[in-house]
Amino acid sequence: MAVPPLDARDDRDDDAPAPGAPDVAAATDRGARGIGRAIQGVTWVLLYLAVVITPLVVALTADPPPGRSFWLEFSVGLGFVGLSLMGLQFAVVSRFSSVNAPFGLDAVLQYHKAISFTAFAFVLAHPAIIMIRDTAQLELLNPITAPWRARFGLISIVALIALIATSLWRTRFRLSYEAWRVLHGVMAVVIVVTALLHIQQVGYYVSGPWKQTLWIVSSVVLVALLVNIRLITPIRLLRRPWTVHSVRADGSDTYVLTLRPDGHDGLRFLPGQFAWLRIDRNPFSIHENPFSMSSSADRGDHVEFTIGVAGDFTAGLAAVEPGTRAYLDGPYGVFTYERNEGPDFVMIAGGVGIAPVLSMLRTLADRGDRRPCLLLYGAPSWDAVSHRDELERLGGLLDLRVVYVLEEAPDGWEGEQGMIDAGVLDRHLPRAHGRSRFFICGPPPMIAAVEALLEDGGVPREHVDHERFDIL
Ligand SMILES: Cc1cc2nc3c(=O)[nH]c(=O)nc-3n(C[C@H](O)[C@H](O)[C@H](O)COP(=O)(O)OP(=O)(O)OC[C@H]3O[C@@H](n4cnc5c(N)ncnc54)[C@H](O)[C@@H]3O)c2cc1C
């Protein structure tokens, strides 16, 4: 059995106040914010759909040019939709907090990935249909003899194929994350700009003041999005510098980095959220890495991160000197109990997945919130467990039970050993977990396994939240 069965206490009235819950006004306020986010989400989706189909509608509102077949018109329509989807990708990944708030950056990025395949299919279908219907058009694939209108289209499609291939097989191409990001951005611009040039050169559907206006507006919006990402956001960050206060080792290959705001009031975030960090680099630099805050959301005077060594950037942390300049772009993310309130919490962390969980526990402690919390904390060994003292301190402030699950236990260890599996859940989950809120953060296989076990045990999907450190 994966998860213990719910006992009779789970028949409690859902509206009954939870023991130790925060005040009703705050809960009502959060409820109102939740409704606000839902409305925001629906609005964005409708706006998105409108933008996707607008070029198609505008293009086809006039009489089609004479003598053109249905299939030709159809293929042009597919091309327009594909281009709209590609252009909108810039808005999707532009880190606007109002876009991310209703869905979460994780979901937004998953969507970004998934929709790029759909856009690819639409874009590719456009020349494919034309060439299948009229094989003489295959000559347009020869970049030496083809006219510029076809060359631009060809460049756009080749760049799109390259963008998808390098994203799917980045490591096979031996591209560092940073090199891939630069390439990805450049290719995305090339795809959209050459596609617009292709449309302009072909000349159908873009004549007339309305249609011209549409294309000009689309191009201006695209440039504005790029300027926002590459210029306005960095300038905003430049005005809010941070200073490294300390870097200390805690657990094997794990560092605790503390930053202090330099001349501003710090970062306001929800416990569990993350920010993009740059150390010793200006905000225009492409080098930035996402990390969850592990400090309390209620301590504005500093921000702490718990960082595991994974590669170049994280391995260099040990050498970072106090006083080094840093920049934070954030907060982002929806992995927070503030968006998924319940009468009690079950937090399941693996390795550095403890970071956002710790932020939630510390914030609960700072707010005097005594709702029951269970922390299942998996680590390779006892030495690898970070923040042991802090968890003990929090145990004295919260209604918190910590269960360590060690892959390799020291001699005499009487606690849990192995992985966080069905047996561990069976032994430790509260019997009345029907209304508990679950927060899982750790290696992707751990998240997948635990979520499957919870689902098998009948835990409602909406009660389970996870944060993946490999979303990008
Ligand atoms: C939302 C989120 C929150 C995270 N929170 C934490 C945390 O609290 N503690 C922690 O230790 N780790 C966290 N991570 C993971 C952390 O961002 C990566 O381990 C780190 O960026 C690796 O950088 P590197 O240069 O040391 O390693 P590399 O060897 O360069 O990268 C290892 C892997 O990390 C990812 N990665 C590398 N650079 C970036 C980048 N600039 N942006 C995004 N991903 C990148 C790539 O998938 C890469 O394959 C988080 C990741 C995400 C997405």
Side-chain angles (χ1 to χ4, degrees), residues 124-148:
L124 211 61
H126 165 57
I129 291 175
I130 293 175
M131 285 166 194
I132 290 168
R133 303 276 311 163
D134 177 5
T135 47
Q137 304 283 344
L138 281 167
E139 280 183 22
L140 294 176
L141 291 177
N142 183 344
I144 297 162
T145 54
W148 272 105

Side-chain angles (χ1 to χ4, degrees), residues 193-205:
V193 170
T194 49
L196 286 171
L197 288 170
H198 165 73
I199 292 169
Q200 208 61 41
Q201 291 274 314
V202 172
Y204 294 126
Y205 301 114

Side-chain angles (χ1 to χ4, degrees), residues 91 93 109 118 168 215 235 245 259 271 344 346 354 441 449 467:
V93 297
L109 290 179
T118 311
L168 285 176
W215 293 112
I235 290 174
H245 173 71
L259 304 181
D344 62 273
V346 178
I354 192 65
C441 186
E467 182 75 289

